[in-house]
Amino acid sequence: MVKVGDKFVERFHVSKLVYEGFISVFGDYHQLHTDAEYAVARGFQSKVMHGNILCGFLSYFVGMCLPISEVIILSQEIKFRRPVYLNDELVLEVVVQDVHDSVNVVEIVCKFRNLVDKMIVASAKLSLGITSDQKEI
């Protein structure tokens, strides 16, 4: 069960396994993500991790961490604010913004923070549909 104002926190590590797994599955070998010299020449510290790795973390959070057993992502809007690098530790902060009982929809807002400098690297808003007949919200 969730209600407006509920807060959740989850930690994620952008490990070599996550990075290589993303590339292996999706085949995105763009130089910004795979060539440190290329990325540095464009003003970054090193290779920039794929933004959609964070989308994968959101999917994991919704499917595995929320106390709602039958849920599906209806929509998702994410804004990438700062680059994420290999081995960054991220904290995902989630707040339930709204619950629409009449249509079985929950809206959440999310922020990814880099654990080292506490800066927000991405923010997101998701609408979630509750897929069961039972009211869990």
Side-chain angles (χ1 to χ4, degrees), residues 1-135:
M1 300 183 94
V2 295
K3 61 185 181 311
V4 173
D6 282 354
K7 296 178 183 177
F8 304 91
V9 176
E10 192 70 30
R11 287 179 66 166
F12 295 99
H13 176 228
V14 185
S15 67
K16 185 176 180 180
L17 180 65
V18 169
Y19 166 69
E20 290 176 348
F22 185 91
I23 290 174
S24 173
V25 170
F26 296 105
D28 181 352
Y29 292 94
H30 188 280
Q31 288 176 299
L32 187 62
H33 305 303
T34 58
D35 183 337
E37 286 182 24
Y38 178 91
V40 169
R42 282 144 184 84
F44 297 98
Q45 295 174 10
S46 186
K47 297 182 284 191
V48 176
M49 296 297 97
H50 300 78
N52 279 317
I53 288 173
L54 301 184
C55 294
F57 292 154
L58 287 172
S59 180
Y60 166 81
F61 175 82
V62 168
M64 304 306 296
C65 300
L66 275 178
I68 304 170
S69 61
E70 296 186 38
V71 64
I72 188 168
I73 297 173
L74 299 173
S75 68
Q76 174 174 298
E77 176 185 342
I78 187 165
K79 295 179 182 177
F80 302 104
R81 301 177 183 277
R82 297 182 177 278
V84 173
Y85 300 102
L86 187 63
N87 290 317
D88 276 357
E89 295 281 342
L90 305 177
V91 173
L92 173 63
E93 302 164 350
V94 178
V95 177
V96 177
Q97 185 177 43
D98 215 339
V99 176
H100 305 281
D101 291 324
S102 62
V103 290
N104 292 337
V105 171
V106 174
E107 294 179 358
I108 61 174
V109 291
C110 311
K111 292 179 185 170
F112 282 99
R113 287 187 192 274
N114 187 306
L115 203 58
V116 173
D117 62 12
K118 310 295 187 229
M119 298 297 288
I120 296 172
V121 297
S123 57
K125 182 175 181 179
L126 286 75
S127 291
L128 311 174
I130 309 308
T131 60
S132 70
D133 289 339
Q134 301 173 5
K135 291 275 186 173

